[in-house]
Amino acid sequence: MILTILLLHLLLPGNAQLSLPNPPIQPQSPDAQRSGNLPSSNRVSWRNSSALGDVPPGGYYDAGDYVKFTYPLTYTLTSICWGAIDFGKGYDLANQTAYLDSMLRWGLDWLIAAHPDNNTLIVQVGDPSIDNNYWGGDQNIPTPRPSYQIDSGQCSSPSIGGIFCLLFPLFFPYSLPNEYSDTSSPASLTNTTYASTLLSHAVELFTFANSTLPLQTYQTAVPQAASSYASSGYTDELVLAGLFLAAALNSTEYHTAALSLYRNASLANGNGALNWDSKTPALAVLGLQVSSAVAPDAVGTWQAEAERYLDNVVDNKSNGRLTKGHPKDITCAWIIVLPGDSDSASLNPALNIAMLMLHYAPMATTKTKTSSYETFAASQLAYTLGSNPMSAPYINPHTALASGGTDIGAIDTSPPTEAHVLYGAVVGGPDKNDRFWDIRSDYPQTEVALDYNAPILTLVAANVLSNSADPFYTRLTAGVYASKRPSGKPCDAAFPCGHHGLSLGGKIAIGVLVPIAVLAIGLAAWVVSRRSRRKRV
Ligand SMILES: *[C@@H]1O[C@H](CO)[C@@H](O)[C@H](O)[C@H]1NC(C)=O
Ligand SMILES: *[C@@H]1O[C@H](CO)[C@@H](O)[C@H](O)[C@H]1NC(C)=O
Ligand SMILES: *[C@@H]1O[C@H](CO)[C@@H](O)[C@H](O)[C@H]1NC(C)=O
Ligand SMILES: *[C@@H]1O[C@H](CO)[C@@H](O)[C@H](O)[C@H]1NC(C)=O
Ligand SMILES: *[C@@H]1O[C@H](CO)[C@@H](O)[C@H](O)[C@H]1NC(C)=O
Ligand SMILES: *[C@@H]1O[C@H](CO)[C@@H](O)[C@H](O)[C@H]1NC(C)=O
Ligand SMILES: *[C@@H]1O[C@H](CO)[C@@H](O)[C@H](O)[C@H]1NC(C)=O
Ligand SMILES: *[C@@H]1O[C@H](CO)[C@@H](O)[C@H](O)[C@H]1NC(C)=O
């Protein structure tokens, strides 16, 4: 336990505010962001049951204002499930599978409740404009907390106001059928009852979406979602759902539907980011896995596109740009230089691409490519865990709930020390010049989010299986970041260039965007695994 605690201490972005917990806490907190009636098994001692009157209750808070959003939640769960299918043995090895199960179910059970009949889906609970002025703990969450849904009655037929293709991530025992199945190792998480419940919801939702024309994005029906999580298009979600359903049902029909949607929308040949909004880069990789079983004729199409996209990233020909990173290491964060995307907070696209590379690497056309994808992915993870110019592991941030603060006007100084530490949460990260300011109000860099944490779980689970080296942060000395921290303020949405205080826009955005906690099994899994391996040796 002492070793674990020591490692966790080193995880903290070098700052003087942190102290070792006493008594020692459990190594990770996947439960920190849970809404609803928390069970006694909840691992985050400082969280309380909350928002019990929500319709439906439960699920995960997405952000500091306690709003729940279905759209990014489904992306997060899908991403984690995909990783748990391909690299799930890593969870087993680290004795984290029971936590994986409970973490997924906390989200999935809520999604089931949010889909009470075939043509209704609740897409948001809570209103950011009500919560904007609230900064505090989970006992005084402002009300009312309205639920927003899309349904067939809301907009006159045949125009359904919102298409929202909700994929219920496949629960086990479904594993992705593919000719490379010897590389796919699902977690030992089997429950056919639950799996068939999820599958029937997924089929109903796909049918709902696919049968309502003309299609529109869901925020057309629920404009309240537009300021936080507007979807830029729906075809990528439909294709993703179609591919997963093709795999689950061993169905050529769903694959055909997915491929024709993909082609009709000209989704190939892009070089953009993979994230909660845009799933497009993942489609070719998943399409390759799925088609090898249900549509062998399409394998070449998906594979060429997957490799084109990933090679462009590795060869610095995509929309992304490598930062200077750490000259003495293999580490460079991949930065997508798109205004408003990741130029001021780089980790999410970098980790998502790294995750995609690990899914694809075993299927690459040459061993050289396999190796280059694995090396690239490893560099992104190492960078995140401290092999970077700031010597900062970009996990364990300060958050609204954990801070104990209640005064949004004095967010940086009140309280001076965090009330709690949120272990294992990935932050937005450094800017395109590798600089990171550990400032509470700088939400682009220091925020955490459900979807930020999704890819690192897969990366770490894969590492448990394939890499015997200790995580990079074990080589860091606590406090080094303090000596490297850049002076002044960042130049981003929270601190527009030339201003010294927090902008009004920044204050509003904090209310909307600074999320609280995460699904964060990953690093504990790694640490625990290392320890158990040592014991066995
Ligand atoms: C494995 O995890 C379970 C909870 O899921 C816990 O009860 C058990 O003690 C753990 N075993 C070891 C060896 O850590
Ligand atoms: C949980 O409730 C306790 C007791 O009311 C309170 O002191 C604490 O701040 C609450 N935790 C959070 C995260 O709000
Ligand atoms: C399988 O899942 C169902 C639905 O959540 C649950 O009632 C049941 O106890 C689970 N079975 C096992 C063996 O875990
Ligand atoms: C809901 O969808 C399923 C699957 O498409 C279908 O079998 C069922 O009849 C539908 N139920 C209603 C009430 O329309
Ligand atoms: C999938 O379907 C094909 C025929 O369409 C069949 O040959 C194959 O055995 C099926 N696979 C599984 C896992 O059921
Ligand atoms: C989706 O809708 C199209 C157009 O109505 C239809 O041809 C196709 O069979 C549907 N696909 C599935 C998998 O239901
Ligand atoms: C194909 O794409 C066009 C727009 O590019 C759209 O109007 C049409 O509905 C799409 N058809 C299908 C079957 O998705
Ligand atoms: C990547 O490409 C950009 C633009 O072509 C260039 O400025 C940059 O130096 C390249 N980075 C590396 C690491 O080669």
Side-chain angles (χ1 to χ4, degrees):
M1 193 46 143
I2 286 176
L3 177 62
T4 309
I5 293 299
L6 182 63
L7 297 180
L8 288 169
H9 183 56
L10 292 175
L11 289 178
L12 306 167
N15 61 66
Q17 301 186 354
L18 299 155
S19 56
L20 286 174
N22 184 24
I25 62 159
Q26 292 222 21
Q28 204 39 268
S29 50
D31 308 345
Q33 207 160 334
R34 288 181 179 188
S35 179
N37 196 8
L38 302 184
S40 57
S41 59
N42 189 47
R43 292 196 292 173
V44 185
S45 60
W46 44 270
R47 278 299 320 280
N48 310 289
S49 293
S50 60
L52 300 178
D54 279 5
V55 180
Y60 287 100
Y61 296 125
D62 176 81
D65 59 355
Y66 301 96
V67 179
K68 302 173 197 171
F69 291 105
T70 302
Y71 188 45
L73 175 66
T74 53
Y75 172 72
T76 298
L77 296 175
T78 302
S79 166
I80 294 170
C81 280
W82 190 15
I85 290 169
D86 280 355
F87 307 106
K89 285 282 176 291
Y91 290 91
D92 289 355
L93 197 60
N95 193 21
Q96 296 291 307
T97 303
Y99 296 126
L100 173 71
D101 183 39
S102 113
M103 178 257 282
L104 290 173
R105 277 171 180 266
W106 198 264
L108 292 168
D109 285 349
W110 184 80
L111 290 173
I112 289 171
H115 181 225
D117 61 65
N118 279 11
N119 293 346
T120 303
L121 180 67
I122 291 168
V123 295
Q124 180 178 330
V125 178
D127 181 348
S129 73
I130 293 174
D131 289 302
N132 260 351
N133 299 320
Y134 179 64
W135 184 256
D138 56 24
Q139 295 304 279
N140 301 300
I141 300 172
T143 53
R145 293 177 54 76
S147 300
Y148 302 94
Q149 67 186 43
I150 55 172
D151 59 47
S152 46
Q154 185 167 14
C155 302
S156 58
S157 179
S159 166
I160 178 103
I163 169 177
F164 179 77
C165 184
L166 172 61
L167 167 67
F168 276 92
L170 298 183
F171 217 69
F172 307 94
Y174 298 111
S175 60
L176 287 172
N178 76 71
E179 61 184 286
Y180 315 92
S181 58
D182 58 324
T183 64
S184 176
S185 51
S188 56
L189 190 57
T190 301
N191 185 317
T192 48
T193 314
Y194 198 51
S196 66
T197 301
L198 293 170
L199 190 56
S200 66
H201 282 279
V203 169
E204 285 165 16
L205 283 160
F206 187 91
T207 307
F208 176 35
N210 189 47
S211 62
T212 32
L213 293 169
L215 304 178
Q216 295 177 42
T217 51
Y218 80 107
Q219 69 270 13
T220 309
V222 182
Q224 291 84 354
S227 64
S228 304
Y229 285 104
S231 168
S232 60
Y234 46 76
T235 319
D236 52 337
E237 281 88 20
L238 267 180
V239 175
L240 188 76
L243 290 174
F244 269 115
L245 286 173
L249 298 165
N250 190 27
S251 156
T252 303
E253 189 200 351
Y254 276 98
H255 178 271
T256 304
L259 185 58
S260 67
L261 284 161
Y262 184 84
R263 284 186 167 138
N264 186 49
S266 303
L267 293 184
N269 296 314
N271 287 302
L274 168 64
N275 59 33
W276 57 267
D277 181 26
S278 169
K279 286 88 171 174
T280 300
L283 301 178
V285 177
L286 185 63
L288 173 58
Q289 287 185 306
V290 173
S291 65
S292 65
V294 303
D297 287 353
V299 160
T301 301
W302 292 121
Q303 178 146 41
E305 173 61 9
E307 216 156 278
R308 180 202 64 78
Y309 176 84
L310 295 179
D311 282 349
N312 277 351
V313 174
V314 171
D315 298 341
N316 191 32
K317 290 178 185 158
S318 77
N319 295 359
R321 289 287 169 260
L322 293 172
T323 68
K324 292 193 177 130
H326 199 294
K328 288 184 188 151
D329 255 300
I330 55 168
T331 52
C332 294
W334 189 59
I335 312 287
I336 294 186
V337 186
L338 292 174
D341 195 302
S342 68
D343 37 6
S344 56
S346 60
L347 293 181
N348 184 243
L351 291 175
N352 276 331
I353 292 298
M355 176 196 77
L356 202 54
M357 285 190 178
L358 288 191
H359 280 294
Y360 181 73
M363 306 187 281
T365 51
T366 68
K367 286 204 164 71
T368 308
K369 290 194 177 194
T370 297
S371 164
S372 80
Y373 302 143
E374 287 173 351
T375 302
F376 191 95
S379 75
Q380 307 306 297
L381 185 58
Y383 185 106
T384 304
L385 297 181
S387 180
N388 58 57
M390 299 278 102
S391 295
Y394 290 118
I395 46 183
N396 297 2
H398 303 159
T399 71
L401 252 182
S403 79
T406 54
D407 181 2
I408 194 171
I411 182 176
D412 287 333
T413 51
S414 170
T417 304
E418 299 298 293
H420 313 286
V421 177
L422 175 55
Y423 292 99
V426 175
V427 297
D431 70 7
K432 62 184 177 183
N433 296 313
D434 301 293
R435 296 172 306 174
F436 182 77
W437 283 263
D438 190 7
I439 300 173
R440 219 180 265 156
S441 59
D442 185 36
Y443 64 90
Q445 294 207 324
T446 61
E447 73 170 314
V448 301
L450 292 174
D451 68 295
Y452 282 6
N453 254 68
I456 204 169
L457 298 193
T458 295
L459 290 166
V460 171
N463 257 268
V464 168
L465 294 176
S466 66
N467 181 357
S468 60
D470 279 332
F472 190 88
Y473 57 74
T474 60
R475 288 186 252 163
L476 292 174
T477 309
V480 178
Y481 166 72
S483 66
K484 299 190 170 182
R485 178 185 167 126
S487 59
K489 295 271 168 67
C491 177
D492 59 28
F495 294 101
C497 306
H499 289 251
H500 294 293
L502 181 59
S503 71
L504 181 61
K507 279 178 184 162
I508 291 168
I510 283 166
V512 176
L513 290 175
V514 175
I516 306 155
V518 282
L519 309 164
I521 287 175
L523 293 153
W526 200 341
V527 170
V528 173
S529 165
R530 293 288 171 270
R531 295 173 71 215
S532 55
R533 276 188 197 179
R534 282 196 196 108
K535 268 186 222 148
R536 275 201 297 277
V537 168

